[in-house]
Amino acid sequence: MAKLVLAAVFAFTLPLFLPIAGVSINMGLLASVGMVVGFLSGLLGVGGGFLMTPILMMIGIPPIVAAASDTNAIVATSASGVAAHFRLNNVDFKMGGFCLLGGLFGSAIGVQAVKILRARGNADLLISVMYVVVLGGLGGFMVYNSLVKLRRGVMAPKIRKAGSNVFSTFLARLPFQMDFARSGVRHSVLLPFVLCSMVGIMTALMGVGGGFIMVPAMVYLLRMPAHVAVGTDLFQILFTCIGVTLMQAASNHTVDVVLALMIAAGSTIGAQLGARVSRHMRGEQLLIVLGVLALVVCLKMAVGIALPPSNPLSGAGGHAMLKAADHNAALVCVRDFVRSSLWH
Amino acid sequence: MALRSRQAMLTYLVLPALAVVLAAIVCPNASAEVTPPVTLKLSPETIEMGAFYDGARLRMEGKAPSGSKVMVVLRGVSKDEVFNKKDRVGPIWINVDKVHVTGPPSLFLRFSSEDVHTFLDRQTIDAYALDELSIRNRMHIRTEHGLRDPEALRLIGDQYVDLKKKEGSYRRIADRVHVTDIGNGEARYTLEIGWPKLATPGSYQVEVYACRDGRIVGQSGAALQLVEVGFPAFMAAAAREHPYGYGILAVIMAVIAGFGIDALAVLLGGKKKHIPAEAHPMPRPQPAHRTMAAAAGAGKSPPLAQDGGLPISQPVPANRAMAASAGASATRSSDMGP
């Protein structure tokens, strides 16, 4: 066993030449980065692209290869996360399917919205403001709401009078009602479809995978348990990223399988750990972590757009989270993918 | 007669002598013809990038005229690049334009035996593009908004160079080339560097300049090839020539890796028991019509669903739902519903 560990440690110190990126990087560095991001992915159901792509760019991977290979790595991470969450009964496949359809539809609309806004010349301004407002508002709400619930502790939750909620009544009267056994809810299929379409529009505008927005939307609006929302979101991310990977490989030739597998080696292990840790955390605690993460990113974005940059020029293939109001290469491919699959 | 002899003397003696004097004045380096040529030996000439490539040592050596200063320049091929340009809009900084840069080398590394500005004048440096300023002056900059102000374009050029310096693609190192006099009017120079491992595959130009008296008196060049070999070459070719197959392979490998690690985790950690209903409850406010139905009173308490959630096909008694909620809160709340 000790020899095995030593061999693994030695292997991690070796350099690895990445054939598509065309650069040499230490294996251990790639796996470690993957593990940290994978942990967050398994714990919170976020794809991790918002963290991974900038980190890869920082260690010398060309932006477009970083974005494409990161998407391929997320396939592995989310597959591992889905498997782990599936064993824990945390994946609602039926809900995930409707969300996936809605997300694709919304992304297609979002793509056109971006196109129109870009033509008018105010897309970047809107996107910057959206980042700060959406992430800040969502993060703040999640943290506040979860803290309130945690403070309430073991006391019985507040029970609302049946029928007192106009929104619930409206939802109950929608057509195509369906049971979602795993989530323990009954909704019209229109609800997850429309909701995920709206999230899809926002993700297309903001250039993020959607985990940040999708998980809270599932929890607060679809009323899914937080753990099931995380598992179901990973299920949806898996399919989205498969599509994007295929599109990137076919159109840009920028998917570096070696890079993706090295990241995936770390991130799948991290995702497993994340999923296991999530079992020992209360839903509120998970949402607090996600909310704090959203607030940190929001703060970074706010600082990024408020302070003058050290250099006004930046690579056009970078990630949106790194550069305020900038769409990443992966998003461009998501748009291309959605556009080609739905409208052509 | 005397006139003829004077004309002959002028034709055959004075004019040639005048020509020699003029040539010596106009071309003071006429003696450079005998200057020994600059040679360059590159070792290796091709750097192979295999699966475990981790950079390489590159040695440049050769002969140069005695007493000359030697400068070695490595250039990557020029390629078009696109950048986002930020500007202030109200209180915030956002991308307002796209900048297309054409002409500058992708890599510019300059090594010399002394600071170049001590032995070359500005004009020569500009003529041979031997520093960042001269590279900036030669690049072509175009913005999508059609910026034409020369001062603004020059500023963008400076920002481009600054970006390249920060990423390490543009570097100048003095006192790195060792020059030793070997007699016969010749000197031997050597330069050994660690080739940057982040440099991408392709062709690079190595140029050697021998400088004396503020001018370049000799130069030589060679091409350095960086080529992928073995597994990386195979993968790069597959990605280029069979993109669809490569994409499908990438997805399959990623999915297998994901499920494989999961299976391994189960194997190492032992198979976890299925989450019992009590440990994973789904208490939540029910939709209005179900709650109302429950309130109407269904006789027998329905069994919990197998997955731990509340039964859906049957109405839920209000007291049961509340009890489940309370129990869930006591153990672990997974209900984030409003």
Side-chain angles (χ1 to χ4, degrees), chain B residues 146-214:
Chain B
L147 186 68
R148 292 194 183 281
D149 179 17
E151 199 53 46
L153 291 173
R154 207 169 9 254
L155 187 65
I156 292 175
D158 286 338
Q159 289 159 355
Y160 171 88
V161 168
D162 191 43
L163 207 64
K164 287 286 177 183
K165 278 183 179 172
K166 274 186 185 159
E167 70 180 32
S169 299
Y170 283 17
R171 287 174 70 193
R172 288 179 290 163
I173 301 174
D175 304 326
R176 191 70 179 270
V177 182
H178 302 289
V179 185
T180 321
D181 209 328
I182 55 170
N184 292 331
E186 287 184 328
R188 173 172 293 283
Y189 70 87
T190 53
L191 168 66
E192 193 166 328
I193 58 166
W195 179 251
K197 63 179 181 179
L198 289 181
T200 52
S203 182
Y204 294 83
Q205 187 65 30
V206 183
E207 301 160 4
V208 180
Y209 298 92
C211 313
R212 199 164 54 193
D213 305 324

Side-chain angles (χ1 to χ4, degrees), chain A residues 226-240:
Chain A
H227 298 78
V228 180
V230 169
T232 308
D233 183 48
L234 280 174
F235 168 75
Q236 186 198 325
I237 286 171
L238 171 64
F239 282 92
T240 310

Side-chain angles (χ1 to χ4, degrees), chain B residues 57-95:
Chain B
R57 295 299 296 174
L58 187 64
R59 186 179 172 85
M60 286 142 283
E61 59 186 333
K63 289 177 183 172
S66 177
S68 59
K69 315 289 182 196
V70 178
M71 177 172 52
V72 179
V73 176
L74 289 99
R75 289 182 212 267
V77 288
S78 70
K79 57 180 183 184
D80 298 353
E81 290 182 85
V82 185
F83 297 91
N84 289 317
K85 187 180 181 307
K86 275 201 176 87
D87 212 340
R88 194 177 184 126
V89 176
I92 60 174
W93 289 80
I94 56 169
N95 292 321

Side-chain angles (χ1 to χ4, degrees), chain A residues 37-38 41-42 47 72-82 234 263-264 267-268 271, chain B residues 254 258:
Chain A
V37 178
S41 176
N72 190 22
I74 293 173
V75 171
T77 315
S78 50
S80 175
V82 165
L234 280 174
I263 303 168
S267 63
T268 43

Side-chain angles (χ1 to χ4, degrees), chain A residues 188-206:
Chain A
S188 161
V189 294
L190 294 176
L191 186 60
F193 183 83
V194 170
L195 190 63
C196 292
S197 296
M198 286 159 63
V199 174
I201 292 172
M202 291 174 82
T203 54
L205 283 170
M206 294 167 67

